[in-house]
Structures are given as C-alpha cells and as structure tokens.
Amino acid sequence: MGRSTNPAAARPLAREAPRQEPPASRPFLKWVGGKTQLLEQMTPLLPRAWNRYFEPFVGGAALFFDQRTRRPDMPAFLSDVNAELVSCYVAVRDEVDAVLDALAAHVYESDHYYEVRARKPADLAPAERAARTIFLNKTGYNGLYRVNRSGQFNVPFGRFTKPLFRDVENLHACSRALSGVSIEHGDFSLVLERAKKGDFVYFDPPYVPVSPTSDFTAYIPGGFGEKEQRKLAEAFRKLAKRGVQVMLSNSDTPLVRELYEDFAVDVVYASRSVNSNAARRGKLTEVVVRSYGGKGS
Ligand SMILES: C[S@@+](CC[C@H](N)C(=O)[O-])C[C@H]1O[C@@H](n2cnc3c(N)ncnc32)[C@H](O)[C@@H]1O
C-alpha cells in the first residue's frame, strides 16, 4: 500500500483513549484454590446488584480484587482463620510502603529463604511480618501454605527463574483496593452475625476431597471435614432465608450435591495448577451454588 495523504488515515480508527484510572489490582499471593482462572465463568453467576460484599474464606481474594476494580465504592468484609494471611492484608492496606521497604531487604536465595522461614512471625513488626508472608509465598515451593504441628511454616524453597516478590505497582493497587475494607481474623460463622438482606456473601471453603482414598472423616486439628461442610451448608441456608444473596464454590462431589440440592448448581471447569503429580493436573469440574436466580444445570 502506498502512503496515504490523508493524515486521519494514519491514525488507527477505534483507538481507545489512554486509560486514566489507576491500574487494576490482582491477588498478590498465590493461594491454593485461587479463583483467578475461574473468574470468567463465575462473573455471569454473580447477583445483579448487592449492598455489601462478604468473603469469609478470603485466601488469595481473587473475586474480591476483580469486583473491587469494577465497584470501587462497594463496602466489603473479608475474613479468614489464617492469622498470617489476615495480618498480611491489614499491613498491605494500612502501610504498603513499609511492606515494600521490608520486601526490599529480601533476596531470592535458598539460605536466606530458610533463615526468613525460621523467624517467628509474632516477633516481627506488622510490615516485616507481611513481607515475610509475601516473600515465602512467592519463593516457596508451589505457593503452598503449610504449617507443622507447632504452627511453624514448613514449605521448602521453590525453584523459579526470577520470582517477582516485590511487585510495587500491584501492591499499591491492592492497598488502594483494600482501603476502607474490614479485614478480620475468624471462623466463617462470623458472617452470620454480620450479613443482612440485600448483601452478597461468597463462600470459597477448603473443598470436599474428590479422591475416595482421601481420609475425609479423620479429625485434623483446624481442618475442614464433613462436619464443617455441613455447618457451612447450614449457614448458607440461614443466610439465604434472611434474603442474603449467597454464592459458594466447591468440588463436584456427591456430598456437595446432597448438601445444596435445594439450590441452583452450575458446573465450572478448573485446571489444577497446584498438584505435585503432573498427571493429575487435568480439568476438574467444580460447582458454583447460588441462593438466587433459577435452578442451574
Ligand atoms: C480455598 S481457600 C480460598 C481461596 C480464595 N477464595 C481465592 O480465590 O484465592 C480457603 C480458605 O479458607 C480458610 N479457612 C479454612 N477453614 C476456615 C474456617 N473455618 N473459617 C474461615 N476460613 C477458613 C483457609 O485459611 C483458606 O484461606
């Protein structure tokens, strides 16, 4: 094609104006069961509107960060039983620059990793404690969170090419997204005292195991067994009765189907990324249960 003499033709036509908004936030921790890859399938299943947002198994908070970008004024309440996770969110919300300064003191190196891992979180200032959590999460094996009987983090050093554990732009974006958000340490049942008619609650609990060989009924201190799954289904029902819009993710298993048989159930497809066995990394079906909308698939 020859050169155009029309100056307008040189400009691409439907070019968007440069975006003025601050960059969107995305999870700053890798979390087992993180929902980033499922957002596209889950978004059409959200309620049309709600008053306040509750996420009582917050984990990596993928749905929260995504929704916060679209609804910056949405009042939100996040909670989790993992104290390290909760104090990390609080520090990123309240003192992100101090967290970034503390992260600058870390290096991706095996000896340093084990030295940081051995530090007792309770002895650290909040920003250093948060930086320790972020650093270990981004440089430890597979982004796992695992503690031993005495509560000490015990995930081994992970092999990466160049792990980005000090992502300045995203941590600032997350801090803005968390501004004004309530972040609490506690059991999911807290939400029963808080949520009212018109609010939205998203439950993303530890999943019911899919494998029949998993010892599901065994008592694991702090674990989430069948008893807790039943207690959660009871909470789901109570909230729904109150007029709260409730959505829940879980594995597609007979127990989950039984517990939520009165509600709309949709199937979504997840590919497991945190699985040491490569052969098991295939597509898995999960369900999304809703207290609102029609009966699903
Ligand atoms: C599957 S993860 C959540 C994933 C998260 N929604 C995401 O997108 O990354 C489950 C979370 O539930 C928390 N948890 C386990 N038992 C709990 C309980 N009884 N009450 C509240 N949180 C709990 C765990 O600490 C973990 O962070």
Side-chain angles (χ1 to χ4, degrees):
M1 257 211 282
R3 281 182 71 180
S4 168
T5 48
N6 174 0
R11 271 185 253 127
L13 284 176
R15 193 168 168 187
E16 275 184 37
R19 290 180 65 172
Q20 296 300 316
E21 319 93 71
S25 54
R26 52 176 204 289
F28 60 88
L29 295 171
K30 294 187 260 182
W31 214 250
V32 176
K35 289 290 166 291
T36 302
Q37 52 156 347
L38 286 174
L39 288 176
E40 212 174 297
Q41 294 174 74
M42 288 172 60
T43 305
L45 300 173
L46 291 171
R48 251 185 253 284
W50 58 79
N51 296 333
R52 301 178 303 164
Y53 178 96
F54 288 83
E55 198 172 337
F57 297 93
V58 72
L63 187 65
F64 163 77
F65 283 121
D66 189 55
Q67 286 302 308
R68 189 67 165 176
T69 304
R70 300 157 198 254
R71 306 163 197 253
D73 300 325
M74 149 182 109
F77 297 74
L78 309 179
S79 55
D80 201 283
V81 283
N82 184 327
E84 283 317 297
L85 180 70
V86 168
S87 60
C88 187
Y89 279 121
V90 170
V92 168
R93 179 191 65 189
D94 298 344
E95 43 178 333
V96 69
D97 288 319
V99 175
L100 284 165
D101 284 350
L103 277 170
H106 292 304
V107 284
Y108 175 59
E109 204 252 340
S110 170
D111 287 351
H112 179 73
Y113 176 90
Y114 287 109
E115 194 257 296
V116 172
R117 197 182 80 163
R119 291 179 196 163
K120 293 217 167 26
D123 297 342
L124 304 173
E128 276 160 16
R129 188 171 168 176
R132 173 182 177 272
T133 301
I134 297 169
F135 172 72
L136 295 178
N137 175 265
K138 293 289 183 160
T139 59
Y141 181 75
N142 258 353
L144 288 176
Y145 191 92
R146 198 181 62 199
V147 290
N148 63 18
R149 277 169 195 275
S150 42
Q152 189 67 20
F153 188 77
N154 69 356
V155 172
F157 183 62
R159 299 275 162 203
F160 303 97
T161 316
K162 212 175 170 225
L164 179 61
F165 56 82
R166 189 172 178 274
D167 184 342
V168 179
E169 188 179 284
N170 189 47
L171 269 185
H172 275 295
C174 290
S175 184
R176 275 192 302 272
L178 290 166
S179 161
V181 169
S182 160
I183 305 168
E184 280 185 287
H185 175 228
D187 186 70
F188 71 85
S189 51
L190 270 177
V191 73
L192 285 167
E193 296 162 28
R194 312 259 192 282
K196 297 190 190 129
K197 184 174 168 58
D199 290 339
F200 172 51
V201 174
Y202 172 50
F203 286 128
D204 185 16
Y207 283 6
V208 171
V210 189
S211 150
T213 54
S214 319
D215 194 4
F216 183 42
T217 49
Y219 174 75
I220 311 156
F224 208 86
E226 181 168 345
K227 194 169 145 238
E228 286 76 20
Q229 294 288 353
R230 290 193 180 274
K231 195 176 134 201
L232 174 59
E234 201 45 51
F236 187 108
R237 208 157 303 190
K238 277 190 193 158
L239 292 167
K241 224 170 156 187
R242 201 185 283 176
V244 177
Q245 306 179 89
V246 197
M247 182 167 102
L248 168 133
S249 296
N250 213 321
S251 51
D252 191 358
T253 53
L255 177 65
V256 172
R257 291 277 180 173
E258 176 215 312
L259 291 176
Y260 298 98
E261 64 185 358
D262 301 337
F263 297 100
V265 177
D266 283 275
V267 172
V268 293
Y269 298 88
S271 51
R272 258 202 180 163
S273 59
V274 179
N275 194 324
S276 47
N277 180 348
R280 291 222 208 120
R281 282 184 186 153
K283 292 239 170 194
L284 278 185
T285 57
E286 298 191 8
V287 292
V288 173
V289 184
R290 288 173 297 142
S291 68
Y292 50 91
K295 267 220 162 205
S297 48

